[in-house]
Amino acid sequence: MVEFDTITFSAAISACEKGGKWENALHFVRVMAESDVKSDLISCSAAMSACEKAGKWEQTLQLFHVLAHSKVELNTIAFSAAISACDKEI
């Protein structure tokens, strides 16, 4: 049986991001939280990027907000996704 941890969830979310499946990416983020699996910068950035590419600026900013209030240090990918999402809304 596969053990679901931060690495497996991050891989699944990254695959969703690359495949344009933003809803599935958000689903995995929710399942991580429900399973008490700690999300990290990779999983959140990938989910943000998936939402941003789909033009889902509200979801992108919600994820950014969660990251900004966590103990995870934000990186260029997270900031870029948030800025790009805002730019697409304008």
Side-chain angles (χ1 to χ4, degrees):
M1 181 163 179
V2 175
E3 182 178 327
F4 295 100
D5 59 10
T6 303
I7 295 170
T8 54
F9 276 111
S10 293
I13 293 168
S14 293
C16 293
E17 183 260 330
K18 288 175 179 50
K21 303 291 185 183
W22 68 273
E23 292 141 325
N24 293 16
L26 289 181
H27 170 75
F28 283 122
V29 169
R30 281 190 294 274
V31 171
M32 282 180 83
E34 292 167 0
S35 303
D36 291 325
V37 175
K38 185 178 177 185
S39 61
D40 63 359
L41 184 59
I42 295 169
S43 58
C44 286
S45 293
M48 284 179 62
S49 183
C51 292
E52 177 269 322
K53 288 177 182 177
K56 303 298 179 187
W57 64 273
E58 291 173 317
Q59 289 83 353
T60 305
L61 295 181
Q62 286 174 350
L63 288 167
F64 184 81
H65 179 77
V66 168
L67 262 181
H69 288 85
S70 71
K71 294 181 181 182
V72 176
E73 187 172 335
L74 297 172
N75 66 1
T76 305
I77 296 169
F79 281 108
S80 294
I83 291 167
S84 182
C86 293
D87 184 47
K88 288 181 179 179
E89 174 54 22
I90 295 175

